[in-house]
Amino acid sequence: MSHFGGELKAMIEVRAPAALVQRACPESPNAAARGIIAAMARIVFTSQLRRFTEVPELNVPAATLRAALEAAFALNPRLRSYVLDDQGHLRANVVAFIDGRRCTDRVALDDTLRPDSEVYVLQALSGG
């Protein structure tokens, strides 16, 4: 994953635990503290997912939902299996909202993001 380091530092503003930033950008252990560049689409994973793994909150220069998710997965590869199934589609119990609207393509994840888009990824809750 170290091959992402320079590109990631140049493209993503991270609000993530230092351990995640160090894995993504090993040559810069204080990258998060310095405020990594770019303010574009914001992606947030809700607290339900935080119970299982570390989830970054970040701003990415992504044009699609898939690209934004891939940036998050670059910081924490374990997150991928909680969000996507083995076919690379959103899991049945996960939903993504882009600017307050549910994503329309759960398979290709090619919903378009604007530079100021806000993406929220939620894991459905069930019970009685």
Side-chain angles (χ1 to χ4, degrees):
M1 189 156 59
S2 62
H3 68 281
F4 285 107
E7 294 172 37
L8 207 56
K9 284 188 347 188
M11 296 174 52
I12 298 176
E13 178 185 317
V14 178
R15 289 186 188 97
L20 286 179
V21 175
Q22 178 57 24
R23 283 196 300 258
C25 307
E27 70 279 2
S28 183
N30 63 349
R34 290 187 332 206
I36 299 174
I37 305 173
M40 294 192 81
R42 178 173 171 239
I43 184 165
V44 177
F45 296 87
T46 58
S47 59
Q48 298 97 332
L49 287 168
R50 285 189 204 113
R51 293 182 318 190
F52 306 110
T53 187
E54 296 177 82
V55 291
E57 176 181 322
L58 45 112
N59 293 338
V60 294
T64 65
L65 176 57
R66 169 128 4 234
L69 290 171
E70 290 298 336
F73 302 153
L75 289 174
N76 182 359
R78 285 190 62 219
L79 183 58
R80 178 183 299 274
S81 65
Y82 287 101
V83 176
L84 303 180
D85 63 19
D86 59 346
Q87 301 297 313
H89 310 153
L90 271 184
R91 288 190 171 282
N93 66 327
V94 173
V95 64
F97 286 90
I98 302 166
D99 300 323
R101 295 179 186 210
R102 186 183 289 237
C103 75
T104 58
D105 187 348
R106 298 178 56 83
V107 175
L109 303 172
D110 64 358
D111 294 79
T112 302
L113 302 182
R114 297 187 324 256
D116 62 343
S117 284
E118 291 193 354
V119 178
Y120 288 88
V121 180
L122 299 87
Q123 190 174 36
L125 299 177
S126 63

